[in-house]
Amino acid sequence: MKYLKVTGGKQLQGELEIQGAKNSILPILAATLLNSGESVIHHCPKLQDVNASIRILEELGCHASWEDDTLIVHTETITCGKIPDEMMREMRSSVIFLGAILARCGRAVISYPGGCELGPRPIDLHLAALRALGAEIVEKGGYLHCSAEKLRGCEITLNLPSVGATENTILAACGAEGTTVLYNAAREPEIVDMQNFLQAMGADVQGAGSSTIVIHGKKQLHDCEHRIIADRIVAATYLAAAAATGGDVLLRNVDYRHLSTITAALKEAGCTVRSHLDWIQLRSESRLRAIRPVRTLPYPGFPTDAQAILMAALLKSSGTTVFIENIFESRYRHVAEFMRMGANIRTEGRVAVVCGVSVLHAAQVQATDLRGGAALAVAALSAEGESEISQVHHIDRGYADLVGDLRKLGAQIIRLDE
């Protein structure tokens, strides 16, 4: 069994370069299918979810190889339009391959995706958008059988600004005849990053980062090269760890604008934050204080992925902070693990009330999902004694080297394998 052993009480100090964004590279790997050639992707994080995406590409007849942190993907041929159930179950974002396969091949067979258990995340919006573009989708034997003799551009309005549905619609629309206009699109920086990749490939996609995206389909695509943006949630994790331990860290290769709601919360809690175009520095010199209610919202609101991480930083704050989770129904599973360490938290439905305590103590805890696992590491760094965090495979899905990064900042943390 793999687990992390964390000794708390050490202030984090130093500089760190932030890895490429998990939520950028996964849809971009699906987007490589649109190009019958070579895609060179720099600053690519080596994650479990990236490996799962590569296996899907190889199942479809493609080839991928690494050169340091550069991933080279060859998609000259696609020999299969079906993704096996066991591959789909590995991660939620596997459904993003559907739009790209339909655009390239006109047919696809997939099962429902897996991933962290955070509550219902239906793909109805994905399927409705693909049907609007002309796809026929039939569920049979646990699989979705999708076909489209000809995709046609149209106007599509999403009921919710879903990141996945936005990405899937863009990818499918790149293979559609005519123009697609997508309204109420998600505005995340990772969607802008995917648009930049598609533009480098020759696709005509405009408007990412706003609520309206326009795609002119059936453009001639070609080989391309692209660099992935920094992972804002990984950056938030290390900022929260520094805040919780009274540290002073400088994060490089990260766009401060992507973390504005997170740094605003940490400033309110008493941290000093300085930033420039590609770096952020945080200094925490005294006990953090409670802040105004934190409500998770679609970007540019406070990200749901950072909810557990900020909560971990505020476990020892003075006062009471209220968290309201508006995105997922089951995103407080980390709370029970925090309470094993002495945290004082009450939850009811989508609300969690965190009453700061003066001391956290070490405990044996279990990562329940990706971000909850990282949050436990943050909490353990500010606790007294030696904590053990199990089920670290969840953390590996989104952090290329959590242990190595934290050790560079002076943390006492090791990874063990019994």
Side-chain angles (χ1 to χ4, degrees):
M1 179 185 70
K2 295 181 175 64
Y3 65 97
L4 304 183
K5 184 175 288 188
V6 185
T7 303
K10 179 77 170 177
Q11 292 180 326
L12 299 192
Q13 306 277 344
E15 297 185 10
L16 198 63
E17 181 170 336
I18 300 301
Q19 69 179 61
K22 165 185 177 285
N23 290 335
S24 278
I25 183 58
L26 299 182
I28 283 175
L29 285 176
T32 63
L33 291 172
L34 299 177
N35 167 31
S36 179
E38 180 183 87
S39 300
V40 179
I41 307 168
H42 301 293
H43 198 225
C44 181
K46 294 183 177 180
L47 308 170
Q48 282 190 6
D49 278 9
V50 171
N51 292 333
S53 292
I54 291 172
R55 287 194 293 274
I56 289 175
L57 287 171
E58 291 174 342
E59 177 71 18
L60 296 170
C62 306
H63 174 71
S65 60
W66 290 95
E67 291 183 5
D68 296 325
D69 69 346
T70 295
L71 186 61
I72 303 169
V73 183
H74 291 273
T75 53
E76 288 86 352
T77 58
I78 295 183
T79 58
C80 177
K82 180 177 181 178
I83 304 177
D85 179 67
E86 61 271 15
M87 291 185 178
M88 289 294 299
R89 288 179 182 272
E90 288 190 49
M91 58 178 182
R92 176 67 53 174
S93 57
S94 56
V95 73
I96 301 302
F97 281 89
L98 179 55
I101 296 173
L102 278 175
R104 174 80 178 270
C105 304
R107 62 182 181 85
V109 180
I110 67 167
S111 65
Y112 283 91
C116 291
E117 296 298 328
L118 303 177
R121 288 189 280 182
I123 62 172
D124 296 0
L125 292 178
H126 302 240
L127 303 185
L130 296 176
R131 286 188 171 111
L133 289 168
E136 294 184 4
I137 304 173
V138 178
E139 182 175 357
K140 183 169 59 178
Y143 279 87
L144 295 171
H145 295 256
C146 312
S147 61
E149 289 186 10
K150 183 180 291 185
L151 295 173
R152 293 183 174 85
C154 63
E155 293 189 354
I156 297 172
T157 302
L158 298 178
N159 292 335
L160 298 169
S162 160
V163 173
T166 297
E167 293 165 341
N168 235 338
T169 304
I170 293 171
L171 294 177
C174 283
E177 292 186 353
T179 299
T180 299
V181 182
L182 178 61
Y183 298 106
N184 198 28
R187 300 165 59 188
E188 273 70 4
E190 294 79 14
I191 295 174
V192 177
D193 201 25
M194 187 182 78
Q195 173 181 275
N196 292 340
F197 173 79
L198 291 169
Q199 289 175 343
M201 189 187 285
D204 189 347
V205 183
Q206 307 289 335
S210 74
S211 58
T212 302
I213 300 176
V214 180
I215 309 101
H216 300 287
K218 287 293 184 182
K219 298 297 180 180
Q220 184 65 41
L221 304 181
H222 49 72
D223 295 356
C224 68
E225 197 166 347
H226 180 74
R227 180 180 173 85
I228 300 295
I229 62 171
D231 195 309
R232 58 195 170 102
I233 306 303
V234 170
T237 303
Y238 300 142
L239 292 176
T245 62
D248 183 351
V249 301
L250 178 68
L251 306 182
R252 297 195 179 278
N253 184 44
V254 59
D255 190 329
Y256 75 93
R257 295 169 296 184
H258 297 167
L259 290 105
S260 59
T261 55
I262 297 163
T263 54
L266 292 171
K267 284 180 182 179
E268 186 180 345
C271 298
T272 300
V273 181
R274 297 172 56 241
S275 58
H276 199 263
L277 187 60
D278 62 351
W279 59 263
I280 301 175
Q281 182 182 24
L282 180 141
R283 182 182 295 114
S284 175
E285 297 178 331
S286 59
R287 184 183 182 186
L288 300 182
R289 55 179 177 264
I291 62 177
R292 289 169 293 179
V294 178
R295 295 177 173 85
T296 63
L297 293 167
Y299 190 86
F302 191 91
T304 180
D305 280 356
Q307 174 253 109
I309 294 161
L310 179 63
M311 185 183 292
L314 295 175
L315 294 178
K316 292 170 59 179
S317 62
S318 60
T320 299
T321 300
V322 176
F323 287 80
I324 301 128
E325 175 56 57
N326 292 308
I327 308 299
F328 295 125
E329 292 181 7
S330 302
R331 199 143 204 182
Y332 288 136
R333 298 174 66 195
H334 49 276
V335 166
E337 304 303 310
F338 284 160
M339 293 176 70
R340 290 175 182 268
M341 305 175 77
N344 183 357
I345 308 172
R346 302 188 308 275
T347 61
E348 183 173 343
R350 293 180 178 268
V351 177
V353 180
V354 179
C355 300
V357 297
S358 58
V359 177
L360 292 175
H361 54 76
Q364 292 185 338
V365 292
Q366 187 175 96
T368 57
D369 57 74
L370 167 55
R371 306 306 175 184
L376 287 175
V378 172
L381 289 168
S382 66
E384 294 184 352
E386 190 175 83
S387 298
E388 293 182 0
I389 304 172
S390 60
Q391 299 296 314
V392 296
H393 64 277
H394 288 298
I395 298 173
D396 294 339
R397 291 186 48 239
Y399 293 80
D401 190 7
L402 179 76
V403 170
D405 285 345
L406 289 173
R407 286 176 66 87
K408 288 177 183 176
L409 298 175
Q412 292 183 273
I413 178 172
I414 58 174
R415 183 179 180 123
L416 298 171
D417 188 356
E418 287 188 344

